[in-house]
Amino acid sequence: MGSFGVANDIKKQIRHSKRKVQMWMSKFRAVKPGKAVLVVAGSPKLEVYETDFGWGKLELIRAVIQGIVNFWMGIFPLLQSVLDRINASCRNFLWGKADIGKNKPLVAWNKLIFEDYQFSLLSIYMAHQISQEPLKILEQCRVTPKPGSVPSTTLPLTFFDVPFFFSPPFKRIFFYEFPHPTLYFLQTTLPILKHSLSLTLQHFFPFSSNLIVPPQQPHLSHIRYLDGDSLSFTVAESTADFTLLTSHSPQDAQNWHPLVPTLPSPLVEQDGTRVFPLMAIQVTVFPNSGFTMCLTFHHIATDGKSLHHFIKFWASLCKAKGNLASSLETSLSLPSHERDIVKDPKGLKLNYFQELEHHESRSVEFAGLVGDVFTNTVRYTALLTHEQVEKLKKWVSIKCASYTDGTVHISTYMVLCSLFWVCMIRSEESKSNSVAQNNDEDEVCYLLIPADCRHRPEFSLPSTYFGNCLATCFVAMKKSELVGENGIVGVANAIERLIRDLKNDPLRTVETAMPEFKQFGKSTLIVSGTPKFSVYQTDFGWGKPKKSFAAYIESSGWICLSDCRDEKGGIEVALTHERIRMNRFITIFEEQLHNINKF
C-alpha cells in the first residue's frame, strides 16, 4: 500500500486518466473562439429502433424522433425543408419503405401525427420563447378624469346587473402593428393614449369608479364615483414574438397571460364596507413590431355593448388627438347613465340578491357554468368566410324546411351557435362505447345565449344606455340529440323557437335566470360576443387591429363570436380546449364544413 492507503495499481489508473483529461483539455483550448464546431453524439450501435416496449414503430417515432425535433424547436425554428425531410423519413420508416419519393403510405401521415405534431412544434416553441422573456414593467400609474369634470355620483345596480355580482372579470385584448422602437412609442403614442383615455373617462366614469358593497347588506350595493377616482394603467415591454401571438393557429392559452392586467385588490373601509375597482388596463409594447391593449373589467359595471361603446369612443378621441368636438361629429354619441329608467315592477333585484345569499348560488361565480380549466389548454380561432357562412345558412334552411311546417328565420348567429355547439359536443371523448353501461347519451346539455334588451318596448332604453341589459336565454337538449345526424338542424330549430319566445315575453327569461343557473352543469356552452360589436373597426389611429379576442375564454365552456378582420361578412369564433380534444374538434369541424360545401 502507498501513501494514504491507496494501492499502486489504482495510482497508475488515476495518473493515466489525468493524462487523458489533460490531453482533451489541450485540444479544446486549441479551438479558437468564433470557429464553427460540430459535436457528434450517438451511434448506430445503440440500435434505438430495436427498443420496442410493445407499442410498435409509431410510438418509437413519437417518443424518439419527435422528441428530438421538439427539443430543437424549443431553441430555434427549423426550416420547413428540414421538417419535411424528417416527416418523410419517419413516414417511410413506419411503413417499411426504403425510397422516400415512392410508395404512398396506407394512412395519411398527418392523421397519425396530428395530435402531437401540429400543436407540439409551434406551441412548445412559442411557450419557450414567451417563458424565456419575462415581461418588463415600464410604468404603473393611475388615469383619472380631469379633476372637477365629473361630480360625485352614485349609480344603483339594476336587476340586469345583479346576476354578474360574483362573475369573474372579463377581458378584451387588441393587437396593433407598430414598427417602431419602445422609446418612440413612449414619447409619441403613450401620451396621446393616456390623454384621450382621461377625456373618455369623463363620460364613461363608471370604469374609474368602484363597486361599493356594505357589510351584511349586499342588496344596497352600488357604483360610486368620487372626484379623484381612477383606474389602474400599466405599461410593459415584451420581447415575445408578436407575429406568433397574432397568428390564428392553435396556441397555448397561457401565452397571453402576461399581457392581461389583473384588477387591483378590493379595499375595506373602517365600517367593513368593501370597495372593488371595476377596470384595469395594460399596454404592452413589442419593440419594432406592435403593441397590445388589454382591458380587464368587472361585468357588473356593464355589458359588452357598452364596453365596445367605451373602447370605440376612446379610439375615436385618440385618433382625433383629443379633439372631442371632431370626434363627436364624425363618430359616436355620449353614453346614457340614467339607471332610474330601468323599471323593476316585479322586484327582481331583491329576489336575485336573496338567491345570492345562499352558498349554492355563489357557484354562479360561474364555477359550474364554465368548463374545466386545464393547464395545457389550447386557444384556437376558427375563421369562416362570407361564402361559407352563406352556404351554412342555406344548408340549415333547406334542412329545417324538411323537418318543420312553418317558416324558420335563419340568421348567421343561429347557424354558428348550432354548428359550434354540435361540433364541441361531438368532440367530447366518450367514456364508454355502450350506452347501456353509460348514461352519457341521456345527459342534458345547455347552450346559454345572451340577448340585448335595449330595443325592447318593455324597457324602452336608449341604444347608448351604459350598463347591463341582457336577458340570458338557454337551450336544453340531450347529448344523443346533439350528436345525432340532425343535431345542427335540431339546435337551429330550438334557437329559433327561443328567439320567438323572447320577442313575445322578454321578462320571462329574466325572471327565471337566477334559479335556472343552478341546474346548469359542466356540459354547458356560453356564447359571448357578436359580429355586431365590429371589434376590427376599433381604430386608435394606427389602422384596424391585427388581432382581437376575448381573453377570458380560458375553458371549454365558452365561445366568442366577432367580425372578421380581412373579409367583409366573415366571422371569427374563438374557443379553448384541452389539447387532445381540440384536435378532435378541428377534425370534426372541418369535416362538417366540407360536407356542407358539397351540399
Side-chain angles (χ1 to χ4, degrees):
M1 298 289 291
S3 60
F4 303 100
V6 179
N8 290 330
D9 57 340
I10 297 179
K11 285 184 178 181
K12 290 181 181 179
Q13 291 180 16
I14 292 175
R15 285 195 296 269
H16 179 70
S17 299
K18 186 177 179 180
R19 283 195 298 270
K20 279 199 169 186
V21 171
Q22 291 173 340
M23 181 182 65
W24 275 103
M25 291 299 295
S26 63
K27 289 183 179 180
F28 278 116
R29 293 192 188 102
V31 179
K32 296 181 179 180
K35 294 294 183 179
V37 178
L38 175 64
V39 179
V40 179
S43 167
K45 295 180 180 180
L46 296 178
E47 297 181 333
V48 293
Y49 285 115
E50 298 302 320
T51 310
D52 187 351
F53 287 89
W55 304 308
K57 291 183 177 181
L58 179 58
E59 290 303 320
L60 281 173
I61 291 173
R62 292 175 186 265
V64 180
I65 300 246
Q66 290 186 27
I68 295 172
V69 174
N70 288 346
F71 171 79
W72 286 111
M73 281 291 287
I75 301 174
F76 54 83
L78 299 180
L79 295 174
Q80 184 61 49
S81 59
V82 175
L83 295 177
D84 291 342
R85 186 71 179 181
I86 293 173
N87 273 343
S89 299
C90 292
R91 180 174 61 240
N92 287 280
F93 167 75
L94 178 66
W95 300 112
K97 307 297 183 183
D99 192 334
I100 290 178
K102 298 179 180 179
N103 298 316
K104 292 183 179 179
L106 301 178
V107 179
W109 176 245
N110 63 339
K111 295 294 183 183
L112 288 171
I113 53 97
F114 179 77
E115 176 180 314
D116 292 324
Y117 179 77
Q118 174 156 338
F119 293 128
S120 60
L121 295 186
L122 179 60
S123 60
I124 287 177
Y125 170 62
M126 287 184 58
H128 175 82
Q129 290 290 94
I130 295 171
S131 64
Q132 295 300 312
E133 303 293 346
L135 202 71
K136 180 181 179 182
I137 302 299
L138 303 179
E139 179 183 355
Q140 286 184 315
C141 63
R142 313 284 302 185
V143 176
T144 180
K146 182 180 177 181
S149 62
V150 181
S152 296
T153 306
T154 297
L155 296 177
L157 300 182
T158 72
F159 65 87
F160 283 118
D161 302 321
V162 179
F164 298 101
F165 198 84
F166 290 113
S167 170
F170 280 57
K171 307 148 191 174
R172 166 64 66 171
I173 190 168
F174 294 86
F175 290 77
Y176 289 93
E177 292 179 305
F178 192 80
H180 303 287
T182 300
L183 183 60
Y184 182 81
F185 177 87
L186 298 177
Q187 293 177 340
T188 64
T189 304
L190 184 61
I192 300 173
L193 276 174
K194 286 184 178 180
H195 176 60
S196 57
L197 175 59
S198 176
L199 294 176
T200 302
L201 290 174
Q202 293 181 24
H203 306 284
F204 293 82
F205 62 88
F207 281 138
S208 58
S209 305
N210 294 285
L211 172 66
I212 307 301
V213 182
Q216 309 302 322
Q217 294 179 308
H219 62 282
L220 298 180
S221 300
H222 57 276
I223 294 174
R224 182 189 69 190
Y225 175 80
L226 300 177
D227 191 33
D229 280 350
S230 58
L231 59 77
S232 171
F233 191 92
T234 301
V235 183
E237 182 184 58
S238 172
T239 54
D241 193 321
F242 185 82
T243 302
L244 287 175
L245 288 172
T246 54
S247 68
H248 289 297
S249 57
Q251 301 174 23
D252 193 323
Q254 298 183 34
N255 289 344
W256 294 276
H257 288 180
L259 312 178
V260 179
T262 57
L263 289 174
S265 301
L267 302 176
V268 181
E269 297 181 343
Q270 289 185 348
D271 63 353
T273 298
R274 289 174 293 168
V275 181
F276 294 85
L278 295 176
M279 175 171 277
I281 297 176
Q282 178 174 318
V283 175
T284 305
V285 185
F286 299 79
N288 302 309
S289 297
F291 67 93
T292 63
M293 285 193 295
C294 186
L295 301 88
T296 299
F297 73 102
H298 199 306
H299 207 315
I300 201 168
T302 190
D303 55 21
K305 183 179 177 67
S306 293
L307 173 72
H308 286 280
H309 185 187
F310 161 75
I311 296 173
K312 284 188 170 60
F313 194 98
W314 178 18
S316 179
L317 265 180
C318 184
K319 191 174 183 178
K321 302 296 189 292
N323 188 333
L324 180 59
S326 173
S327 178
L328 290 177
E329 288 176 4
T330 60
S331 185
L332 301 165
S333 55
L334 296 174
S336 169
H337 298 289
E338 298 180 70
R339 296 290 181 101
D340 58 341
I341 63 177
V342 180
K343 305 302 180 183
D344 186 11
K346 298 187 178 183
L348 296 178
K349 176 181 174 180
L350 184 58
N351 291 341
Y352 286 175
F353 271 115
Q354 290 174 347
E355 289 283 344
L356 291 177
E357 289 178 0
H358 303 293
H359 177 73
E360 310 90 316
S361 299
R362 290 178 182 265
S363 64
V364 177
E365 208 165 335
F366 298 137
L369 292 187
V370 296
D372 293 331
V373 178
F374 299 94
T375 57
N376 61 337
T377 52
V378 175
R379 180 180 279 120
Y380 171 63
T381 301
L383 304 178
L384 288 92
T385 65
H386 177 69
E387 181 182 6
Q388 288 176 316
V389 172
E390 291 303 311
K391 284 185 178 181
L392 176 61
K393 290 168 66 176
K394 181 179 179 181
W395 182 83
V396 172
S397 178
I398 294 174
K399 291 289 185 178
C400 285
S402 62
Y403 290 98
T404 58
D405 297 330
T407 302
V408 178
H409 174 69
I410 304 297
S411 68
T412 298
Y413 190 87
M414 172 204 295
V415 296
L416 289 176
C417 290
S418 303
L419 172 64
F420 277 84
W421 192 26
V422 168
C423 289
M424 291 178 76
I425 294 298
R426 288 177 178 173
S427 70
E428 290 182 355
E429 187 174 10
S430 176
K431 297 178 181 179
S432 172
N433 294 326
S434 173
V435 178
Q437 296 177 356
N438 191 343
N439 294 324
D440 194 46
E441 294 282 335
D442 295 326
E443 180 184 359
V444 178
C445 304
Y446 298 91
L447 176 70
L448 270 64
I449 303 174
D452 183 21
C453 293
R454 286 174 175 80
H455 65 288
R456 297 297 306 163
E458 295 84 352
F459 305 111
S460 300
L461 300 179
S463 61
T464 57
Y465 172 78
F466 186 93
N468 288 291
C469 194
L470 298 174
T472 302
C473 317
F474 73 92
V475 173
M477 294 181 67
K478 288 185 177 181
K479 183 175 289 187
S480 57
E481 297 176 300
L482 292 169
V483 300
E485 180 182 355
N486 299 314
I488 295 177
V489 178
V491 176
N493 280 321
I495 294 177
E496 201 273 340
R497 290 193 300 270
L498 183 68
I499 295 174
R500 192 187 316 129
D501 293 341
L502 179 65
K503 291 180 178 179
N504 295 331
D505 185 10
L507 275 176
R508 184 184 67 83
T509 59
V510 176
E511 291 174 19
T512 58
M514 293 294 288
E516 286 173 341
F517 279 163
K518 297 178 182 179
Q519 65 180 307
F520 301 141
K522 293 190 180 298
S523 291
T524 300
L525 177 64
I526 305 173
V527 181
S528 65
T530 168
K532 295 180 180 179
F533 288 160
S534 301
V535 297
Y536 285 105
Q537 300 306 312
T538 309
D539 184 0
F540 282 81
W542 306 284
K544 64 175 65 175
K546 178 68 174 177
K547 187 175 183 179
S548 179
F549 60 83
Y552 58 86
I553 305 296
E554 291 281 352
S555 76
S556 58
W558 294 82
I559 61 171
C560 184
L561 279 60
S562 73
D563 55 322
C564 187
R565 181 187 190 275
D566 297 318
E567 179 173 341
K568 185 177 181 180
I571 303 294
E572 293 185 4
V573 183
L575 61 151
T576 300
H577 280 310
E578 185 267 338
R579 291 178 187 275
I580 296 178
R581 185 179 172 189
M582 182 65 83
N583 294 342
R584 293 196 297 267
F585 169 82
I586 293 176
T587 300
I588 294 169
F589 173 70
E590 291 179 345
E591 287 177 354
Q592 188 66 58
L593 282 183
H594 178 70
N595 293 335
I596 291 172
N597 288 334
K598 292 192 305 181
F599 186 77

